[in-house]
Each structure stands twice: as structure tokens, then as C-alpha cells.
Amino acid sequence: MRFLPRTLAQKLILALTLIVALLEGAAGVYSVRRQERHLLATMVQGADQLSRGITSATWHAMLADHRQDAYEVMQTVASQEGISLIKIFNKEGRVMFSTAPGGPAQVDKKAEVCFLCHASEQPLVRVDVPTRSRTFHVADGGRRLAMVTPIYNEPACSDAACHAHPESQNVLGVLDVVLDLEPVDRELQRFQLRAVAQGAIHILLIGLFVFFFTRRFVGRPIDHLISATRDVSEMRLDRPVAVPEGGELGELARSFDSMRERLREAQRAQQRASEDLERKVAERTEELQATHQKLMRSDRLASLGQLSASVAHEINNPISGVLNLSTLLQRILTDEGVPRPRIGEFRRYLERIEQETTRVGRIVADLLSFSRHRPPHRAEIDLNGVVQATLSLVGHKLRLMGVEGRTELDPELPPIYCDGSQIQQVITNLVLNGAEAAHASRRGLAPMVTVRTRRGAAPETAVIEVADNGEGMTAEQLAHIFQPFFTTKEEGKGVGLGLPVVYGIVHAHGGEVEVESVPEAGATFRVTLPVRERPTAESRAPAAAPEGPR
């Protein structure tokens, strides 16, 4: 199949060449057949003339009944080149003379040589020349031409004193002359070779003409059109189409070039529209950026005011308590010291002062941790080891709260590249938050916090999950869970900076933190961290807490 022509020019060349070959072949066969008929007709005419010459040469000898003289004349004629056989047989088919001794003495009247005249019950007397001739093949592969000539009973024969045939007998005998057709066959073979050679030359010349004509007026224009269509498909519209002169292909090329020009104009118009659109978008972007900067400044001022109010509120409560307690201490204290009956009360007030000042210190520490966003110092660590070390540190506090801590660690977890102390802080915050939620739950379940590690769904990631069986959170609470100073704990037990700190650390590591929770079903915090370092803009700059859950 790969040898079949594929292009239109190749198919046209092949079709025209085959048509020319068929026509040349038919013309050659017709010429050979016509030449053969012409040569055979010439040979038939010559054989007829030879037969008549033999009958004329032997007429006097036969009239005088000198048969031996007539036979000698025939023998002399048969010795000439090209004459194969001469024989005479009478009306009954008995061979009277033959130049080839040893032949049959009787001729079958149903044979081809006699069947021409004896086909019907009444024999023919006058037979035309073509009918009296026949061609046949011999054992050596050659061909022969035989001419049968009747010998009629003329008045000079029937009136002769020596003649033994009655006047009513029309035919006395038949002269059969056989000629060799080898010269004719040689001439035909030479003619066939010349015809084949001429046909091959004609086919070659016409084929070359068809090839160059088709290539010039069909192949090249089509190649130009194909190249032009490829340019248009690749949007190279600046290359004009080569238009051939005249013809349907020229009209097609001109139409295609006109289409290319229209596409080019449309492309230019689209480009101008795109540039105008980009310019307008850039202008609007600048306007939006300016507006955004104004909003950012306003938001920062609002956030600063909210932060200041929150910090003031959170610090004001313990400071007010300290002031009140210090006033009570002044009232108890006398010039002689603390009265013995009120020493216990004095100590309780001091413990309260210590608790409130510790609370202020914790608020300030959380605020500093949230605001600094120290960039992580990464190193290769064992995440399972960090989890176990963290639970060991907070285990005493969990036992005091009556919360059970469980772990489900993946032993096949690969080491991760991160800041171990910051990740430990993340786990600590999540575990303590979960423990407080489980401890405060009123669901009647044994308080429990479970820490899991596993491979992430994305390649080259690790996951830490901290789940508790506490009260869970509502959708509204989840929307603000990572906002600074937002907390679900009771008054005085939290300032709402733990989860924003967790979010900032995870975000600085190029990771993600998610939370799943519904009321009365506990909460699960999921931290996804990359196994390898991912240098991002977030790892180089502090991350702001989001407005809602991620």
C-alpha cells in the first residue's frame, strides 16, 4: 500500500501513463494483426499465381498425356526455396503425384483440403482464391500456407484423341501447393519487436511529458496551496500565496489569498482590541491597587484599634485584680506586720497576685510570639519523634486534666525538613486546645486526644492530625477560628492567639492547616507539611492570619 501514489499529481501521472500504455498496446496489437493479414494476403496471392503458373507450365504435357514431363516440371518447381510440397490428386481423392514420397495415397474428402468444396452433397466447381487457401502448423513448430487449385476439364482436353475423360466431368483433379511461412513469421516477429520498441518509446516520451506537464501545472500549484494552508493554520498570515496564472487552481489560489488577507486584517483588529483591553485592564488594575492600598491602610488602622482594644481588655482584667488585691494587702498590713490570724488570707491574696501577673506574662508572650513570626530554621527531623517528645512534655498536664493521650504513628513515615521547635509548638498548642475541649465536654465520654501521623495524599507530604472528643464547633465558630483574640474558652482561660500562631508557623513551612468539626462530634485539626523544603514567599515573610478557616 505504501507504493501507491498519494498526491493528486502522482495519481494523475499514473492514470495518464496507464491510459497511454493501454492505447499503445491496443494500437500495437492492431498494427501487428493488420501486418499479418497483409503478408498472408500477399502470400496467398503469390501461391495462387504459383499454382496457376504450374498448371500453365504443365498444360501441354498433360494435354499430350506426357505425365512424366509434367511431374518433372513440378519437381523442379518444388525444389525452389520456400516451396514445401506440390501434389496432384484426382477427383476421387487418390494422390497421382507428390514431391514428398511416402505420403498417403488417398486423401480424405472430409479433410480440410477437400472440405472446402465437398462440404455439401453437390461439390463446388468454382471457389474464390481466399477460400482455397489454408494455413496450418507442422511438427517442427513452423507454419505452412497451402493453396488448392482445381484442374478443370477444358474443351481442348475433352476433344483430344488421347483424353479419357468425358465432357460432362468439370474437374479433372486438384493441384495442392504448400509454401513455407517462415519468412512471413520472421518478418512478423521483426515487426512485433519494432512495434514494442516504438510503443515503449512512445510511452516513455508521453510519460515524461505528462510528468513534467503535471508537475508544472498541477503539482507545484498544489504544493504552494498546501504550504499556504499550513502557514494559515499556524497563523503566519504575512506570507502571500503564490498564485499560478489562469485556470481553476489559479482562481482557487486567489480566493485563498483573499481569505488570508481577511484573516490577517481580523487578526490585526483582534490584536488592537486586545491591546486596548490590556491597557484598560492595566489602568483599572492601578486604580484597584490604589483603592486596595487605601483599604489596607484603613483596615490596618481598624485592626490596630481592635488589637489595642483586645490587648487592653485582656491585660486590664488581671491588672485590675492585682490593684484590688494590693489594696486588700495594704489594709491587712499594719506597722507591726501581718496579724497572725490573717496570715493565711494574706498568702491567698499573694497567690492571686502571682496568678494574675503570670496571666499577664502569658498574654504578652503569646502576643510577642504571634507578632514576631520568626522564620523557621529547617533541619531533617523525625516527625514521629517530635510527636512523642511533645506528648511527654505535656503528659503531666494531661493527667492533671484527666485527659487520655493516644498516638497512631505511621512507622514508614519519612523524615521531614522543618524547624523542630516550631513544629513542636504547633503540636503542643493543638494538643492542649484539644485536651481543654475534651475536658470541658459534657458529653459523658472519657476525655481523649489522639495524635496521628501518615503520608499525605499529595506526593512528598506528611500529615499530622490532632483529634479530640469534645463538644465540637459550630460553622460560625469555624469561620473565625484562626482570627487573633478569637476563643471559645471561658473568660480568663485563653486569649485566642494559639491557633493564629499555629497557622503562621505552618504557613511559613509551606504547609496547610485545616479543621473539621461539627457540634457534639469533636474536632480534628489536620496539618499537612512538605517532606522537602519549599522556598516560598510565605517562608520569607510573616504570614497574616486568615479571616476564616482554610
Side-chain angles (χ1 to χ4, degrees), residues 383-384 387 391 406-410 413 427 431 448-455 462-468 523-527:
L383 187 59
N384 292 336
V387 172
L391 291 179
R406 290 186 178 181
T407 58
E408 297 176 6
L409 307 180
D410 183 4
L413 193 68
I427 299 172
V431 169
M448 182 184 303
V449 175
T450 304
V451 182
R452 306 183 185 94
T453 60
R454 59 180 174 83
R455 290 178 178 269
V463 176
I464 309 170
E465 288 184 349
V466 179
D468 63 73
T524 300
F525 286 84
R526 184 177 301 107
V527 176

Side-chain angles (χ1 to χ4, degrees), residues 525-546:
F525 286 84
R526 184 177 301 107
V527 176
T528 304
L529 296 172
V531 174
R532 299 297 175 190
E533 181 181 7
R534 294 180 184 173
T536 59
E538 290 82 355
S539 64
R540 295 189 295 268

